[in-house]
Amino acid sequence: MNAAVDAGAIPYDVAQVRAQFPILSRSINGRPLAYLDSAASTQRPRPVLDAVEHYETHLHANVHRGVHTLSQLATDAFEASRERVRRYLNAASSREIIFVRGATEAINLVAQSWGRPTLKPGDEILISSLEHHANIVPWQMACAATGAKLVVAPITACGELDFNAYLALLNERTRLVAMTHVSNALGTVLPVARIVAAARDKGIATLIDGAQAVAHQRVDVQALGCDFYAFSSHKLYGPTGLGVLYGREAMLEAMPPWQGGGDMIRTVSFQSSTWNELPYKFEAGTPHISGAIGLAAAMDFVESLGLQRIAAHEHSLLAQATDALSQIPGITLHGTAPHKAGVLSFTLKGVHPHDLGTILDHEGVAIRAGHHCAMPLMDLLGVPATARASFGCYSTAQEVEQLTRAVHKAREVFA
Amino acid sequence: MELQDLYREVILDHNKHPRNFGRLDPADAVANGHNPLCGDKLTVTLRLANDAIQDVKFEGNGCAISVASASMMTEAIKGKDRASVNQLFDKVHALLTQQDAPSTDLGKLAALSGVREFPARVKCASLCWHTLNAALATADAASAPAVSTE
Ligand SMILES: Cc1ncc(COP(=O)(O)O)c(C=O)c1O
């Protein structure tokens, strides 16, 4: 869909995009807000806010339970959102779309429900050095419970996956490859199609953490061929508290439920229960209905802009920012892979990232300063933390200039 | 809220030239402090004599606020007895968290008063004090009669 738009026929009007994000017009510390923290969470456009409000105002009731009209309307809207997500990911069936709380919960679901029953002592789970804690800790927990081992594929100096090392680590004990699509700390885009293909060749299951990818590029889970794909709504211009686990139907069918409660059962007696069909087997309790409605609206919004056009826009900002920051004396850029998303991690000599964060904030520039939930990666880089600027569909060249001026200001304060 | 209120001259100076930086060896008490949110890490080592802090050093890695706060703390507590150190802790804590806290008798430490305008940074300034308390607690535990035997 939107082939003409995606081909870049219409110029990208960032002012018009920004006009749809009410929060972007506020000021911070008396200065215009330059929101450069979209990798942590994106802002919400008017259509998402409106869709949620419309749902809450006119359609809300509990889903999958009532014969009354509102319950039916809410259920229809909720299930339409699931279908919207299916289309966004090009999944084969909406039975493969599980609504969860976020990417973190999606990965935990797989670690619990697939990992614990499947893994045996000596089995290996292969991740990369780039992973977010959300794609490390659930596997450590599964390993502790099963005697399996976590193996980490190294990265190169510029922050790319060392692909040959990755291939060499795949072996007959490897049961799962769990890797990020895009690194949240460095912005590196991983060659997930090749990663998955190499694993599948050996009959190894695959999970891709798409938290940082879905807002920046088209994802086709069937073309990718992965078994699981996880992401969060709030990094895709949608509401917080909602995420998606895509799972290949055959995998999900074979997995036991992970939480028990309402909605996930077919029959319950005090002796035993039987499970509902997919996807409900994995959705115990009342879901985040308005979140799903908002996410569907966010997907409409993103596709109306065109993912390729958003990516091209973000790329030009990344190039501009990389150029401007690298000219500042004392700057080190972390992560310089040729294929990157709109994320720029940096440190400034003599200025700790937290001081940088405070000074930038004072200048109205919101960035993330810290370990980015990737402490092992920070250890590899030999820094306790970095400052990270990240871009979204609404980011502007002026904001990059504001960032650059603010970094200069930090140098002056610490001169 | 102005940047100069946070990054006062004396704070920038202590950040650039931390006093009492390093590690006492041997030491009577050691504690490590870690602020997982920002990755600030520091180690405080103490030598104690008759209930007083005879010597103190710190080392670590952190933002300007945490380094300067630790550096100024070591200057302020050296030679003081435990009761005075506790009093000082309370005053610094108040200074960092309460809008109208007095900064009298705090000397250089009064320079930290700007931190309270930046709530995200309060923990940076207080990390060294909590680490100091932890070190003093280990010293107490070591000198206390053993309460359990293997
Ligand atoms: C790569 C990556 N994976 C997982 C997560 C976790 O997402 P959430 O906190 O929304 O569950 C994040 C969020 O920062 C991320 O960047």
Side-chain angles (χ1 to χ4, degrees):
Chain A
M1 65 173 310
N2 285 336
V5 176
D6 263 2
I10 305 166
Y12 193 84
D13 183 353
V14 71
Q16 202 207 331
V17 173
R18 287 179 76 77
Q20 304 199 56
F21 288 82
I23 202 171
L24 295 179
S25 55
R26 66 159 292 172
S27 63
I28 296 288
N29 297 320
R31 291 172 175 78
L33 163 65
Y35 186 76
L36 299 179
D37 198 18
S38 290
S41 195
T42 52
Q43 300 296 347
R44 331 258 174 270
R46 198 28 91 199
V48 170
L49 301 172
D50 288 349
V52 171
E53 194 189 324
H54 176 79
Y55 168 78
E56 301 287 15
T57 313
H58 300 288
L59 303 176
H60 174 68
N62 211 332
V63 292
H64 306 138
R65 329 222 151 154
V67 291
H68 63 76
T69 305
L70 272 185
S71 176
Q72 195 53 52
L73 289 173
T75 303
D76 289 349
F78 183 63
E79 290 305 322
S81 298
R82 193 190 305 280
E83 169 57 21
R84 184 68 190 85
V85 175
R86 184 205 65 74
R87 265 200 295 136
Y88 196 83
L89 296 177
N90 191 33
S93 157
S94 60
R95 294 159 56 82
E96 301 178 317
I97 305 299
I98 319 275
F99 284 122
V100 291
R101 273 197 304 131
T104 302
E105 191 171 83
I107 297 169
N108 275 280
L109 191 165
V110 178
Q112 296 275 337
S113 217
W114 176 86
R116 293 211 181 192
T118 310
L119 296 167
K120 302 276 177 301
D123 283 352
E124 294 179 4
I125 293 172
L126 182 54
I127 63 171
S128 83
S129 305
L130 292 166
E131 301 312 316
H132 187 280
H133 295 164
N135 200 28
I136 302 173
V137 183
W139 304 119
Q140 288 175 333
M141 292 164 68
C143 287
T146 61
K149 197 172 116 198
L150 193 63
V151 179
V152 185
I155 53 172
T156 65
C158 74
E160 282 183 305
L161 176 70
D162 182 336
F163 200 80
N164 287 330
Y166 161 69
L167 291 179
L169 286 169
L170 292 174
N171 66 65
E172 64 285 354
R173 290 180 305 276
T174 314
R175 300 302 309 273
L176 176 77
V177 169
M179 286 197 191
T180 194
H181 195 159
V182 173
S183 156
N184 67 309
L186 303 184
T188 314
V189 180
L190 277 77
V192 283
R194 287 164 62 212
I195 290 170
V196 170
R200 277 183 62 152
D201 265 0
K202 295 193 148 69
I204 299 165
T206 50
L207 175 144
I208 302 298
D209 172 359
Q212 294 293 340
V214 283
H216 309 283
Q217 64 188 85
R218 183 164 294 286
V219 174
D220 180 333
V221 289
Q222 292 189 78
L224 196 53
C226 57
D227 293 298
F228 302 103
Y229 195 94
F231 71 92
S232 297
S233 154
H234 72 97
K235 294 180 199 281
L236 178 58
Y237 309 102
T240 56
L242 185 85
V244 169
L245 173 68
Y246 157 81
R248 223 160 33 77
E249 190 164 341
M251 292 295 269
L252 294 176
E253 283 292 1
M255 286 157 52
W258 80 308
Q259 289 178 341
D263 264 355
M264 54 73 67
I265 41 76
R266 179 159 292 136
T267 61
V268 178
S269 73
F270 283 118
Q271 285 69 45
S272 66
S273 303
T274 58
W275 313 141
N276 203 340
E277 60 181 12
L278 288 175
Y280 312 109
K281 180 169 88 175
F282 292 104
E283 293 181 359
T286 301
H288 185 5
I289 311 169
S290 67
I293 308 286
L295 174 61
M299 289 176 163
D300 288 344
F301 172 80
V302 163
E303 287 192 348
S304 75
L305 290 182
L307 275 157
Q308 284 186 27
R309 295 167 71 232
I310 294 173
H313 173 70
E314 291 168 352
H315 260 257
S316 76
L317 296 175
L318 178 66
Q320 178 198 352
T322 303
D323 191 44
L325 288 190
S326 56
Q327 286 174 26
I328 299 176
I331 281 268
T332 304
L333 300 181
H334 300 280
T336 49
H339 197 21
K340 273 183 65 171
V343 170
L344 199 57
S345 235
F346 60 96
T347 46
L348 180 61
K349 190 160 185 269
V351 185
H352 190 278
H354 286 109
D355 296 310
L356 204 49
T358 294
I359 296 171
L360 266 53
D361 179 58
H362 193 261
E363 301 298 307
V365 180
I367 57 144
R368 173 93 184 259
H371 53 61
H372 317 295
C373 297
M375 286 190 192
L377 176 61
M378 296 295 116
D379 288 344
L380 273 182
L381 298 175
V383 293
T386 73
R388 178 191 72 185
S390 54
F391 309 115
C393 66
Y394 37 62
S395 304
T396 66
Q398 288 84 338
E399 288 176 320
V400 172
E401 286 162 18
Q402 197 175 336
L403 165 72
T404 312
R405 278 196 306 275
V407 175
H408 276 293
K409 167 98 185 204
R411 281 192 75 225
E412 281 161 29
V413 170
F414 279 83
Chain B
M1 162 174 116
E2 286 305 320
L3 275 182
Q4 300 89 287
D5 293 338
L6 183 63
Y7 296 113
R8 304 215 174 131
E9 272 316 316
V10 47
I11 289 183
L12 293 171
D13 174 54
H14 274 259
N15 174 50
K16 232 179 190 165
H17 310 287
R19 323 293 201 266
N20 301 307
F21 194 82
R23 188 180 266 272
L24 292 170
D25 187 19
D28 297 318
V30 185
N32 298 310
H34 183 207
N35 179 349
L37 202 66
C38 41
D40 289 351
K41 275 183 189 160
L42 61 88
T43 303
V44 171
T45 45
L46 297 173
R47 244 177 244 149
L48 303 166
N50 305 325
D51 198 46
I53 294 179
Q54 188 189 48
D55 203 357
V56 53
K57 279 187 189 291
F58 85 100
E59 68 181 3
N61 185 323
C63 64
I65 305 302
S66 79
V67 170
S69 179
S71 170
M72 294 191 296
M73 176 188 81
T74 59
E75 282 191 333
I77 64 171
K78 210 185 272 193
K80 287 216 161 65
D81 63 26
R82 297 281 291 269
S84 325
V85 169
N86 286 342
Q87 272 178 16
L88 204 53
F89 176 91
D90 291 340
K91 278 190 190 161
V92 171
H93 192 261
L95 184 77
L96 291 174
T97 54
Q98 290 164 25
Q99 239 0 284
D100 45 6
S103 57
T104 40
D105 310 332
L106 277 174
K108 271 189 197 176
L109 290 169
L112 291 169
S113 66
V115 176
R116 64 178 172 232
E117 304 297 336
F118 296 80
R121 307 303 299 276
V122 168
K123 281 195 171 147
C124 308
S126 60
L127 178 65
C128 57
W129 288 92
H130 291 295
T131 311
L132 169 69
N133 271 356
L136 289 170
T138 61
D140 292 344
S143 61
V147 283
S148 72
T149 47
E150 295 300 323

